[in-house]
Amino acid sequence: TTTTTTTTTTKTSEEASELYSQVSLFRMASDFHWGIWGILQAAGEVVLDGSFQREGAMARLEGEVDLDKWDYLRYGKNRLEGYRFVQEGLAFLDAIKLALHCTK
């Protein structure tokens, strides 16, 4: 009975780990997609009618934000930070799995 319980617990733990990895990969894909989209939208804010708007670009670089408008650049940056956060978390979990596997 103890062996069956241990096997079931191990299998459930492995399934949960696999599911977490899959969800994390989908989250990374979403964060990357929307991060790039946000940055491209922000780039479009300083290019109007095919010409570069120097004043708008300088204002963005200096951190001026119009609170009445959606901040695409900040949105994109936050989503890319989310991507990096999940990526680092998955690398950490892989290191733990490797360490646990080596001790068996």
Side-chain angles (χ1 to χ4, degrees), residues 15-58:
E15 289 172 342
S17 179
E18 179 64 26
L19 182 60
Y20 179 80
S21 294
Q22 290 176 1
V23 168
S24 294
L25 289 174
F26 279 105
R27 178 179 171 196
M28 286 174 60
S30 175
D31 282 341
F32 187 78
H33 170 83
W34 290 112
I36 297 300
W37 176 85
I39 290 170
L40 291 174
Q41 294 302 310
E45 292 177 342
V46 296
V47 177
L48 301 173
D49 299 326
S51 62
F52 181 71
Q53 304 295 312
R54 183 176 175 82
E55 298 80 24
M58 291 305 295

Side-chain angles (χ1 to χ4, degrees), residues 4 13-14 22 31 37-40 43 47 55 57 64 68 78-79 82 85 88-89 94 102:
T4 306
S13 180
E14 290 172 359
Q22 290 176 1
D31 282 341
W37 176 85
I39 290 170
L40 291 174
V47 177
E55 298 80 24
E64 293 178 23
D68 294 331
N78 288 342
R79 291 303 294 253
F85 177 78
E88 289 172 358
D94 285 344
C102 289

Side-chain angles (χ1 to χ4, degrees), residues 59-60 62-71 74:
R60 289 293 305 149
E62 293 169 359
E64 293 178 23
V65 178
D66 182 358
L67 296 179
D68 294 331
K69 289 175 53 180
W70 178 256
D71 189 354
R74 180 165 295 168

Side-chain angles (χ1 to χ4, degrees), residues 82-93:
Y83 169 86
R84 183 76 176 140
F85 177 78
V86 174
Q87 183 183 40
E88 289 172 358
L90 286 176
F92 179 72
L93 286 178

